[in-house]
Amino acid sequence: AVDLVPAKTSDNSGAVTVQTPALTTLPGGDNLLTLLALDAAGNQANCTFTLTVIDTQPPVFPDCPSDAQVFFPELQRDEYFTFNWTVPSATDNVGVDPSRTVLT
C-alpha cells in the first residue's frame, strides 16, 4: 500500500483543497504523480513528481515441486526417456508475472 503524507499548502485566501491520486499499489519502476491544489477563488497549482518503486524482494515459487527420482531400465546410448511434470507458477510482490526459465 502507498500512503502519502498530506501535502503542505498555503494561500492568501485561506483554505486550500488538495487533490491527490488514489493510490493503493504502484508498479515497480518510475511512476509520475500529480497533486492539485485549489483555493476558494478557483486558482490552482500543480505539483508533479516521480515516485520510483524499487523492488528488493525476489519472486517466489509457491508450488515448487519436491525433488523427484526417475527409475528406468538400462538404456542404449541413443535412447531417451520422458519426465512429465508441471512447471511451477511464480509470483512477485509488485504484481508483475515474473518470467520463468527452465535451466538444465
Side-chain angles (χ1 to χ4, degrees):
V2 177
D3 294 319
L4 289 178
V5 175
K8 293 182 180 180
T9 59
S10 64
D11 187 69
N12 62 349
S13 68
V16 176
T17 302
V18 177
Q19 296 176 358
T20 60
L23 302 176
T24 53
T25 60
L26 291 172
D30 293 340
N31 296 273
L32 191 64
L33 302 180
T34 300
L35 307 178
L36 174 68
L38 187 64
D39 69 10
N43 300 310
Q44 68 180 33
N46 294 323
C47 173
T48 300
F49 59 96
T50 299
L51 178 63
T52 302
V53 176
I54 300 171
D55 182 8
T56 61
Q57 293 181 332
V60 296
F61 286 102
D63 56 353
C64 185
S66 301
D67 293 341
Q69 293 181 338
V70 177
F71 298 96
F72 53 91
E74 189 174 316
L75 297 174
Q76 299 296 323
R77 184 192 291 236
D78 57 352
E79 291 185 76
Y80 298 92
F81 69 94
T82 301
F83 175 66
N84 293 316
W85 64 299
T86 301
V87 177
S89 61
T91 60
D92 193 53
N93 63 319
V94 294
V96 178
D97 189 20
S99 62
R100 294 169 288 170
T101 302
V102 177
L103 304 176
T104 57

